[in-house]
Amino acid sequence: MHYSLGIDAGGTYTDAALVRDSDGEIVDSNKALTTYPDPLEGIKNVIDGLNPEYLENVKLVSVSTTLSTNTILEGTGFPVALILIGDHPVEKELPAEHVLFAAGGHNHNGEEVAALDLEAIEKFALQVKDKVSAFAISSYFSTRNPEHEIRARDLILELTGLPAVCGHELSQELGAYERAVTAFLNAQLIPITRQFVKSIISDITKRGINARLLMLKCDGSVVGIKDALKKPIETIFSGPAASLVGASYLSGLKTCAVVDVGGTSTDISSICMGVPDLSDEGAVVGGWKTRVRAIRMETTATGGDSHIWTVNRELFLGPRRVIPLAVAAVKYPDFLNNLKRTPMHAREDLGENIQPTKFFVRSGYPTGELSRAEAEVLEVIGEEPVSVTEINALIRKDVYPQTLDSLTRKRLVQAIGFTPTDALHVLGEYTAWNAEASRIGAERLARLMRMTLGEFCTAVKKRVARNMALHLLSYILAGVPYTSIAKILDGNYLAKFKLDIPVVLLGGPVRAYREELTKIIDAEILVPEHAEVGNAVGALVGKGIKRVEILIRPASLMSPDKDFLVFAPGSRLKFDTYSEALDTATTLGKKLVADYMQGCGLSENQVEISIDKRTILPDGWNHPPMETNLLVMGIGIRGLHV
């Protein structure tokens, strides 16, 4: 009997699920806290909780993660140098500190418009090689001829030995600026993705697991681990993609909307007839528009670990993530006693960082450049949580909340506080951790809000459910302002939203919100079995999907019946006749798809290939098409667990 293992590393939890290959049955699952800065311990912990008899017979491991996304959003990626070849717009903002504009590039037919300035590239590479971890190269019209990108890449590898990423390897679409940004972000993620993959390989190798390793992409398809290491940008939203395909698999629904409630955020997306709803635009990550195809989703910075705090009897939810009091009481042995003896603050002093339930602890990340105030505060924060009252006593003055903000942003300290997870512990609807710590925290905040314990925790739960409903409806009613949706949700009109599409909830404590959501919107809302590890299941059941786009056009419209150019990924070919060009393009497209699928472990009889041909033929044009676009698509027709 053979099994497949799915692993999803999220911002708060790392999930694992074991699936029996013969029938797709989920036979075991587990959750563990994600570990920082090295995810290896979290991966080890989650696999340790699985049945070792099943693990002995695992033949496939597939993974997904939000690690890449979080790295870009938090601005903690590795430094990268960017080389732009040809006529790139200089007025647009670029994400790189080290940038070179070099002569070279091609035109729309792939013909060289200027010689490549290898001397300038060599000088630049030697100047910055000790300041960066990788290079990104984007040449003008490289999708029509990648020659200059390839020559620059080979030179950089020879001179520096550092990874070099070419824009044409990541996208065949036009758009020089977006392709340059995509190449930069991809290069920035190579070291991070490599560390994550090494952590997975290290753990499964130590356990004697001999399995094929795949990774989920942000369009819901899977990729061989070698390709994932070359193109980590394509995995930036693999976590939300995993929740989408996992929800469809667990619920048995080919069409549904999905609300995935994590510790750090809530992601909303949808799937129609088994195909994820993909964005027409390239994925936007951290404000940078890319050429990466990804699922269309709505994300809110509200999750189970969002900070709950109060000022002037007003309740605030997030946006920052904190360690729940219930979790901290288990993780840190003396925390419960510290929480009990920490005094209440004066009401006029309250703010996001000044709360009777707020504590700080060192994160373990290496210390960079600090201001005098930051260094002073960080010195008194150790490996056991301390309150603001304790920090003030140790530095002998009142700490500035802005200093705590800055240390948190730099990920040098991690905050602990009251969360929706704590509210559910008090209500008895989720009891995975220490409920006493949650109750003490709730009592303190309820007193400030002048509510009973039950009233306060119920108010928190309702606020989270309303937030989930607001973002779900914003996703479905694309373009409708939040304020308009909120007016109906808040009862300002005698109306209620009704959805015809089923809604599937994923995440550890989501069952607690199902009833509350049904009060807000009229919809079929489902919480499938194994919903708490839906992302790990999704990492396994993503289909093998490969799209190859090839363009055919005459070399010159002045002689449209001869000399045809074929622009395929990584190559530019020339043929005497249109029929030769079309036949070769079709054969090449099928081969590229088949080779990719073979790398994903799918044989020829497991892959269904379709070809969509679109031509431009103006009225009265009695020649071969002015332009032919071939989209060759391969889909794994059986689930990867079979």
Side-chain angles (χ1 to χ4, degrees):
M1 195 74 70
H2 291 166
Y3 301 90
S4 296
L5 172 62
I7 300 171
D8 175 73
T12 303
Y13 287 101
T14 296
D15 301 339
L18 275 166
V19 172
R20 186 164 53 220
D21 290 354
S22 59
D23 58 6
E25 183 73 19
I26 298 163
V27 295
D28 201 5
S29 63
N30 192 31
K31 295 178 78 72
L33 290 171
T34 297
T35 52
Y36 295 97
D38 187 351
L40 179 58
E41 192 64 25
I43 292 164
K44 178 182 179 297
N45 292 341
V46 80
I47 300 177
D48 279 345
L50 298 173
N51 188 322
E53 291 182 19
Y54 295 142
L55 290 173
E56 287 177 5
N57 294 299
V58 165
K59 299 302 176 187
L60 171 68
V61 177
S62 188
V63 299
S64 64
T65 182
T66 56
L67 187 65
S68 299
T69 319
N70 294 345
T71 297
I72 294 172
L73 293 176
E74 294 165 4
T76 55
F78 286 75
V80 170
L82 181 59
I83 297 174
L84 301 175
I85 300 169
D87 192 21
H88 282 266
V90 294
E91 71 278 1
K92 287 193 175 183
E93 185 184 2
L94 291 165
E97 179 183 348
H98 306 287
V99 182
L100 170 70
F101 290 88
H106 296 79
N107 64 16
H108 65 282
N109 266 351
E111 295 160 348
E112 186 178 84
V113 294
L116 178 62
D117 190 348
L118 285 172
E119 187 177 332
I121 293 170
E122 179 178 348
K123 183 179 177 182
F124 175 73
L126 293 174
Q127 281 178 343
V128 303
K129 69 182 179 70
D130 296 327
K131 302 174 185 177
V132 300
S133 60
F135 287 79
I137 308 158
S138 183
S139 176
Y140 207 64
F141 271 118
S142 65
T143 54
R144 301 291 168 83
N145 191 333
E147 178 194 0
H148 285 183
E149 285 187 355
I150 292 169
R151 286 172 63 193
R153 178 194 66 195
D154 292 346
L155 177 63
I156 287 164
L157 286 171
E158 181 185 336
L159 291 171
T160 70
L162 293 172
V165 175
C166 296
H168 79 272
E169 297 172 314
L170 303 170
S171 173
Q172 285 299 298
E173 294 183 43
L174 297 178
Y177 173 73
E178 289 83 3
R179 202 163 56 250
V181 168
T182 305
F184 170 84
L185 294 177
N186 191 76
Q188 194 176 56
L189 293 175
I190 285 175
I192 296 140
T193 305
R194 192 171 285 164
Q195 182 191 21
F196 174 66
V197 170
K198 277 176 66 178
S199 297
I200 297 278
I201 293 173
S202 172
D203 190 82
I204 64 173
T205 302
K206 283 180 182 176
R207 296 173 192 272
I209 297 173
N210 183 20
R212 192 167 72 253
L213 190 56
L214 304 178
M215 194 165 187
L216 198 73
K217 290 167 56 178
C218 50
D219 61 359
S221 65
V222 291
V223 60
I225 207 66
K226 288 182 180 178
D227 280 331
L229 287 172
K230 289 178 186 174
K231 303 179 183 180
I233 189 69
E234 294 185 348
T235 69
I236 46 174
F237 292 129
S238 66
S243 72
L244 184 58
V245 294
S248 176
Y249 182 84
L250 292 174
S251 66
L253 296 171
K254 296 291 186 185
T255 299
C256 61
V258 178
V259 180
D260 178 20
V261 183
T264 308
S265 63
T266 295
D267 299 318
I268 293 142
S269 52
S270 67
I271 191 166
C272 183
M273 299 303 291
V275 179
D277 179 15
L278 298 181
S279 172
D280 291 332
E281 302 292 327
V284 177
V285 193
W288 299 104
K289 185 178 178 183
T290 73
R291 283 294 181 194
V292 178
R293 288 177 63 86
I295 60 169
R296 184 175 75 88
M297 69 177 180
E298 178 97 8
T299 299
T300 167
T302 302
D305 296 351
S306 294
H307 185 209
I308 301 290
W309 50 290
T310 178
V311 175
N312 297 327
R313 294 180 62 189
E314 185 177 353
L315 188 67
F316 294 91
L317 174 61
R320 286 211 174 119
R321 170 189 171 265
V322 296
I323 298 173
L325 300 177
V327 175
V330 173
K331 192 172 181 181
Y332 304 103
D334 197 44
F335 176 73
L336 190 60
N337 291 328
N338 196 355
L339 176 63
K340 289 176 181 177
R341 66 175 178 259
T342 297
M344 296 286 284
H345 299 280
R347 288 180 182 268
E348 60 268 21
D349 293 337
L350 293 178
E352 185 178 359
N353 283 321
I354 313 294
Q355 294 285 306
T357 52
K358 192 80 179 274
F359 296 79
F360 297 89
V361 67
R362 283 251 192 168
S363 65
Y365 279 89
T367 304
E369 189 176 339
L370 297 176
S371 69
R372 189 172 180 179
E374 289 170 345
E376 186 179 44
V377 172
L378 187 62
E379 188 177 351
V380 302
I381 299 177
E383 295 181 0
E384 289 294 322
V386 291
S387 66
V388 169
T389 303
E390 290 173 302
I391 294 171
N392 291 343
L394 289 166
I395 65 172
R396 298 182 181 180
K397 59 184 175 183
D398 289 347
V399 63
Y400 287 109
Q402 297 92 326
T403 303
L404 294 169
D405 272 338
S406 178
L407 289 171
T408 302
R409 277 196 308 272
K410 292 179 178 179
R411 301 206 289 186
L412 297 174
V413 303
Q414 172 66 59
I416 297 167
F418 193 84
T419 67
T421 296
D422 289 302
L424 294 182
H425 273 73
V426 176
L427 295 171
E429 296 180 19
Y430 185 66
T431 55
W433 305 94
N434 188 309
E436 186 184 357
S438 299
R439 182 184 54 76
I440 294 169
E443 285 173 347
R444 293 177 164 222
L445 295 177
R447 198 183 316 161
L448 292 171
M449 292 289 291
R450 295 180 185 170
M451 291 177 166
T452 67
L453 190 67
E455 286 172 342
F456 173 72
C457 291
T458 300
V460 170
K461 181 181 170 183
K462 286 184 175 179
R463 175 69 70 87
V464 173
R466 178 195 175 277
N467 190 282
M468 288 165 61
L470 176 63
H471 286 274
L472 170 63
L473 292 166
S474 173
Y475 172 86
I476 291 172
L477 305 172
V480 177
Y482 276 106
T483 50
S484 301
I485 298 171
K487 284 178 182 177
I488 295 178
L489 287 182
D490 294 340
N492 293 336
Y493 300 97
L494 294 174
K496 186 177 182 180
F497 286 103
K498 183 181 188 320
L499 300 182
D500 290 332
I501 185 172
V503 179
V504 179
L505 304 184
L506 289 187
V510 288
R511 283 178 177 80
Y513 295 106
R514 183 182 174 277
E515 186 179 344
E516 204 65 50
L517 269 176
T518 58
K519 295 176 184 176
I520 302 172
I521 53 177
D522 182 2
E524 181 187 4
I525 299 175
L526 309 169
V527 182
E529 189 180 2
H530 304 294
E532 66 281 359
V533 291
N535 285 29
V537 174
L540 268 183
V541 300
K543 291 181 178 179
I545 300 177
K546 178 64 175 176
R547 300 174 182 87
V548 173
E549 296 178 46
I550 300 178
L551 173 68
I552 305 169
R553 59 187 302 168
S556 170
L557 293 179
M558 301 300 291
S559 52
D561 294 308
K562 63 177 183 177
D563 294 335
F564 291 86
L565 299 173
V566 173
F567 303 103
S571 62
R572 173 181 179 268
L573 307 171
K574 193 171 184 179
F575 299 92
D576 292 335
T577 66
Y578 176 74
S579 61
E580 284 181 295
L582 182 60
D583 289 345
T584 302
T586 304
T587 302
L588 179 59
K590 288 180 178 179
K591 184 180 185 307
L592 290 171
V593 166
D595 290 348
Y596 176 90
M597 291 299 190
Q598 189 176 6
C600 292
L602 291 170
S603 60
E604 188 177 335
N605 61 357
Q606 289 178 285
V607 179
E608 191 174 85
I609 296 180
S610 62
I611 299 175
D612 180 29
K613 183 174 79 169
R614 298 184 182 182
T615 59
I616 296 177
L617 278 166
D619 290 340
W621 181 262
N622 299 314
H623 307 280
M626 278 187 177
E627 192 168 287
T628 301
N629 284 282
L630 288 183
L631 173 60
V632 184
M633 182 180 294
I635 299 178
I637 58 175
R638 300 198 309 176
L640 288 172
H641 59 272
V642 176

